[in-house]
Amino acid sequence: MSNPTRVLVLNSGSSSVKYQLLDMRDSSRLAAGLVERIGEQTSRLRHTCLGTGDTREHSGPIADHDAALKAVAGELSRDGLGLDSPELAAIGHRVVHGGLFFTQPTVVDDEVLTEIERLIPVAPLHNPANLTGIRTARALRPDLPQVAVFDTAFHTTMPESAARYAIDPRIADRHRIRRYGFHGTSHAYVSRETARLLGKDPSEVNVIVLHLGNGASASAVEKGRCVDTSMGLTPLEGLVMGTRSGDLDPAVIFHLARVGGMSMEEIDTLLNKRSGLFGLCGDNDMREIRRRIDEGDEDAALAFDIYIHRLKKYIGAYYAVLGTVDAVAFTAGVGENAAPVREAALTGLESLGLAVDPERNAVRGDGSRLISPESARVAVAVVPTDEELEIATQTYALVGKHN
Ligand code: ADP
C-alpha cells in the first residue's frame, strides 16, 4: 500500500474544536468544520465535505471534547474520510504555549504531554484545552502519530535582548517570565510566503509581519528567523487588539487594584476581554468600526486612530530592529481585508521607503499580492495566512521523517 498522505489538523479551544482534513500530496482540503459551545445545551457542529461541497449542521448538547471529537469522527466517516482510514498519516494539534522547551513541532508521547502540562501556569486559558484535544485524539487512534505544533516555536529564535523583560532574572526564571510571543505558525507561514512572492529564499529577506485578526501581533523576521515579536509572556502585550489592550504602563494594574478597588480577576477580564477596540468604542469588528466612522462617529474614529498609532509605532520599531527591511506583510482578518488600515498604518512613512498604491490596495483578492507602488524600495504585501496548512505541512514533514 502507498504511504498515507492525509493529515487531520485539530485546534482545540476551551469550548470549541476547529478541524481540517488535508491531503498533503497537493495540500488540498478534504473536509473542514467546527464544534462550538461544547459543554452547553446549545452546542453546534458544522461540517463541510469539500469534495462534494456538502455542509451538515447539528445542534444539541455535546458534553465534552471526547464527545465532540467522536462527533467529528462520525461526520468524517459519513464522507468516507474516517479516522480509521489507512490514508490518515497523523493528527496535527495546535498547541498555544510551548515555552522555551519546544522549539520545533514534536511527536507527542507521555513526556511531551507532561511538559505541555507544566506550562499551564503561563497559558492557563489555552494549554488545558489543547491537552484535552490531544488526549482525546490519542484515545481514539492510539496507534497514529500525534504531532504538537506550537504557537510559540517560531519565536524561540529571539535573542535574549528581545525576549527578556528588564526585571531580576532570578525572579523571572523562577516563574518562567519572559517574552514568548504567539501566532508563530502564522508569522512563519506568512514570512515565508512573502519571500516567495518576492521570488526570494526566506534566508535572503527581512520582513515585518503584521498579523491583524481579533488577536493581533507584529514580528520582525530577519532572514527567516524571528528576532522580535509584540506579544509577550501572554498574548496581552503589544498591538491594540479586538478586545485586548496591548501595551500599557504596568502601573495601571496597581492603580486599578489600589485606587479602583478592582480584584486581579476583574482587571484580567478588563484588559483581555473588555479593552482594545471593543473597550474604546463598543465594537471589535473593523467592518463595523469603519461603517461608524463613515457616519461621523467620534468614538469609533478615536478607536481607529489609537489602533493605527500603535501599529505604526511597531512598524517603526521593527524597522529599527531589522536595520533593512525588504517587505511589510499584512495578514489575518483585518490585515487581509481592511484596506483603510493598511493605508493609514503606512501613511507618512514614505521616507522609510514604505508606501501603499491606492489602486492596488483597493483590489480585493484571495491570493498573496503586492500593494506597494512599482518603484517602491520596500515591498508591501497582503498575504493570506493559513495556519491549518502550516500545521499540516509541519506535521507531515515530521511524520514523513519517522516513516
Ligand atoms: P481571529 O482568528 O483572531 O479570531 P481573524 O483573523 O479571523 O481573527 O479576524 C477577525 C477580524 O477580522 C474581525 O473581528 C474583523 O475585525 C476583521 N475583518 C474580517 N473581515 C473584514 C473585512 N472585510 N473588512 C474589515 N475587517 C474585517
Side-chain angles (χ1 to χ4, degrees):
M1 198 193 71
S2 58
N3 279 337
T5 56
R6 291 178 188 162
V7 173
L8 178 67
V9 175
L10 285 182
N11 182 352
S12 308
S14 55
S15 65
S16 70
V17 174
K18 286 189 211 149
Y19 62 94
Q20 283 193 10
L21 180 68
L22 292 95
D23 189 332
M24 298 318 290
R25 280 176 300 190
D26 56 1
S27 304
S28 62
R29 260 149 260 244
L30 304 172
L34 166 70
V35 189
E36 292 174 288
R37 299 195 286 275
I38 296 170
E40 295 178 32
Q41 289 302 309
T42 57
S43 316
R44 195 174 69 136
L45 190 164
R46 191 184 159 83
H47 172 89
T48 303
C49 172
L50 292 144
T52 59
D54 260 6
T55 294
R56 297 189 289 274
E57 238 181 83
H58 304 281
S59 301
I62 296 179
D64 50 25
H65 282 73
D66 186 44
L69 214 55
K70 284 188 176 139
V72 170
E75 289 304 320
L76 288 167
S77 285
R78 278 180 70 182
D79 296 325
L81 302 167
L83 292 192
D84 51 357
S85 163
E87 290 176 70
L88 190 60
I91 300 183
H93 296 266
R94 175 186 183 214
V95 180
V96 168
H97 217 309
L100 276 183
F101 190 78
F102 295 111
T103 60
Q104 299 288 334
T106 306
V107 175
V108 172
D109 58 19
D110 290 340
E111 260 171 64
V112 168
L113 285 179
T114 305
E115 190 56 34
I116 297 173
E117 206 163 357
R118 274 174 20 101
L119 289 161
I120 287 177
V122 283
L125 293 180
H126 295 105
N127 274 27
N130 301 157
L131 271 170
T132 306
I134 298 176
R135 290 204 171 103
T136 313
R138 258 185 129 196
L140 281 180
R141 274 295 306 267
D143 55 317
L144 197 68
Q146 313 269 336
V147 175
V149 179
F150 299 92
D151 266 20
T152 45
F154 184 61
H155 304 303
T156 54
T157 52
M158 276 197 289
E160 288 295 279
S161 54
R164 287 255 177 208
Y165 292 108
I167 63 173
D168 182 337
R170 287 164 303 184
I171 295 176
D173 290 347
R174 192 179 316 141
H175 300 290
R176 300 193 190 207
I177 294 171
R178 60 189 281 120
R179 308 188 57 259
Y180 295 99
F182 299 88
H183 292 146
T185 309
S186 176
H187 287 283
Y189 176 82
V190 170
S191 56
R192 260 203 343 265
E193 277 297 297
T194 306
R196 208 173 57 83
L197 188 65
L198 300 181
K200 299 260 174 74
D201 189 79
S203 64
E204 297 174 309
V205 290
N206 291 350
V207 185
I208 298 174
V209 179
L210 305 169
H211 176 111
L212 310 176
N214 202 18
S217 63
S219 68
V221 183
E222 185 176 48
K223 301 186 189 335
R225 289 164 64 86
C226 179
V227 292
D228 206 350
T229 194
S230 59
M231 285 177 166
L233 173 72
T234 77
L236 184 56
E237 191 179 344
L239 300 173
V240 175
M241 311 184 206
T243 65
R244 296 192 195 112
S245 62
D247 294 336
L248 43 73
D249 180 345
V252 169
I253 295 163
F254 317 145
H255 190 83
L256 287 172
R258 291 185 191 129
V259 180
M262 290 174 74
S263 68
M264 279 303 150
E265 276 308 302
E266 286 169 332
I267 299 171
D268 193 328
T269 303
L270 174 76
L271 298 181
N272 273 297
K273 303 216 168 112
R274 309 196 61 79
S275 296
L277 292 169
F278 176 79
L280 286 164
C281 74
D283 268 308
N284 59 341
D285 192 311
M286 192 52 83
R287 285 164 287 200
E288 190 56 19
I289 290 170
R290 291 302 311 172
R291 195 190 59 72
R292 284 173 54 186
I293 293 172
D294 289 343
E295 287 178 353
D297 185 316
E298 287 180 11
D299 292 343
L302 180 60
F304 185 82
D305 289 349
I306 294 170
Y307 183 95
I308 295 296
H309 181 76
R310 183 82 51 84
L311 190 54
K312 199 177 269 194
K313 281 212 296 200
Y314 269 93
I315 294 169
Y318 288 173
Y319 207 117
V321 165
L322 290 169
T324 54
V325 177
D326 298 287
V328 173
F330 287 89
T331 194
V334 176
E336 290 167 31
N337 296 298
V341 168
R342 299 191 295 256
E343 186 194 324
L346 298 184
T347 297
L349 303 185
E350 293 79 8
S351 66
L352 296 178
L354 286 166
V356 161
D357 178 274
E359 274 175 31
R360 289 180 168 188
N361 191 32
V363 173
R364 294 202 147 268
D366 290 339
S368 301
R369 57 197 186 277
L370 288 174
I371 57 167
S372 40
E374 202 65 60
S375 57
R377 192 146 47 86
V378 180
V380 181
V382 176
V383 179
T385 192
D386 195 337
E387 290 164 277
E388 288 77 17
L389 175 60
E390 180 69 15
I391 291 172
T393 305
Q394 293 193 13
T395 298
Y396 194 60
L398 191 60
V399 170
K401 269 188 234 158
H402 281 240
N403 274 345

